Amino acid sequence: GENVEQHPSTLSVQEGDSAVIKCTYSDSASNYFPWYKQELGKRPQLIIDIRSNVGEKKDQRIAVTLNKTAKHFSLHITETQPEDSAVYFCAAKKGSDSWGKLQFGAGTQVVVTP
Amino acid sequence: DVKVTQSSRYLVKRTGEKVFLECVQDMDHENMFWYRQDPGLGLRLIYFSYDVKMKEKGDIPEGYSVSREKKERFSLILESASTNQTSMYLCASSSQGLYEQYFGPGTRLTVT
């Protein structure tokens, strides 16, 4: 099955600096890669996603890049703010799956210090 | 606005008890999912359902069963709770073909 590895497990950044989280996946046919943000005590929420026919996608201060050859994708947060502190999960959907089942990474705890 | 609700935020049960966790979504989504969330392990899929009365095992189905009698409701059942099932349980739903999953607030289950 699909296996998604996520690094680092924790990330501490100064406010205003950038944060990068990287995920690798095993199934070369995977075709959908979302990122979810989970604030303390809250439910995970989708913040950005990318499909395999696109190399990069941006939404204000966040961006996701996909390298299909290397089978990895990354989340970039620029100009970090305290409200970016949360656990971030990457995920991948197998290309053969039509139901939208996702394989999640283990998560990255991001702490933004003022 | 999609709303996914779960029957309890916190639940304490004894070993061997039968436990029911319920999830309801109000957006007419075809797909519903049950995950457990443990530190350092991310979200692991227990079961999912793509239609009423249709279900498939996820990655960790052992010790669990599910029921989907109505489109909006998906229940997770622990037939005989054990201490290693102490965890946060998250329900999610999605519309067929759109892939974004909407999560419920979670149920923190403690089995003593």
Side-chain angles (χ1 to χ4, degrees):
Chain A
E2 175 67 280
N3 185 45
V4 177
E5 293 191 1
Q6 183 171 348
H7 298 280
S9 57
T10 58
L11 183 59
S12 185
V13 296
Q14 287 287 118
E15 184 177 356
D17 287 351
S18 295
V20 181
I21 305 169
K22 183 176 175 178
C23 289
T24 59
Y25 59 96
S26 58
D27 185 351
S28 57
S30 293
N31 60 4
Y32 173 70
F33 308 92
W35 286 89
Y36 284 79
K37 175 183 180 183
Q38 186 178 30
E39 297 178 22
L40 188 63
K42 302 283 183 66
R43 67 192 76 191
Q45 290 191 299
L46 179 73
I47 54 171
I48 195 167
D49 56 13
I50 192 168
R51 298 189 184 236
S52 58
N53 58 348
V54 175
E56 183 176 1
K57 185 176 179 181
K58 285 184 181 179
D59 184 4
Q60 299 182 354
R61 295 187 297 107
I62 60 173
V64 57
T65 58
L66 172 65
N67 183 327
K68 288 191 292 183
T69 304
K71 291 190 286 186
H72 68 70
F73 56 111
S74 300
L75 178 71
H76 304 255
I77 307 173
T78 58
E79 300 173 22
T80 53
Q81 300 170 4
E83 53 263 38
D84 295 329
S85 294
V87 178
Y88 292 81
F89 294 98
C90 64
K93 185 190 79 67
K94 291 174 67 172
S96 59
D97 174 76
S98 61
W99 307 120
K101 284 189 298 179
L102 300 175
Q103 189 75 35
F104 284 87
T108 297
Q109 173 78 60
V110 173
V111 178
V112 180
T113 53
Chain B
D1 194 26
V2 178
K3 194 169 184 180
V4 182
T5 58
Q6 294 183 228
S7 50
S8 305
R9 289 303 303 270
Y10 300 94
L11 209 51
V12 180
K13 295 291 181 181
R14 294 204 176 271
T15 302
E17 279 193 88
K18 192 168 186 176
V19 182
F20 293 87
L21 303 182
E22 291 205 322
C23 174
V24 177
Q25 51 94 4
D26 67 355
M27 283 302 291
D28 202 35
H29 284 171
E30 294 82 6
N31 303 324
M32 296 188 75
F33 307 83
W34 274 108
Y35 296 92
R36 66 176 281 175
Q37 181 177 13
D38 300 289
L41 297 177
L43 304 173
R44 293 181 292 165
L45 183 64
I46 305 171
Y47 266 97
F48 84 102
S49 168
Y50 51 92
D51 202 350
V52 174
K53 298 189 185 294
M54 306 304 288
K55 60 188 179 185
E56 283 202 14
K57 293 179 180 179
D59 299 319
I60 52 165
E62 297 78 18
Y64 304 95
S65 62
V66 290
S67 173
R68 194 167 180 200
E69 297 296 318
K70 294 184 178 182
K71 191 175 185 179
E72 67 272 19
R73 189 179 300 268
F74 192 35
S75 301
L76 179 69
I77 304 154
L78 287 67
E79 296 290 343
S80 177
S82 63
T83 54
N84 63 10
Q85 292 178 310
T86 290
S87 186
M88 171 68 82
Y89 290 88
L90 288 165
C91 172
S93 70
S94 71
S95 183
Q96 182 59 24
L98 294 182
Y99 306 147
E100 178 178 359
Q101 294 189 15
Y102 296 85
F103 285 85
T107 296
R108 184 165 293 283
L109 173 66
T110 301
V111 182
T112 62

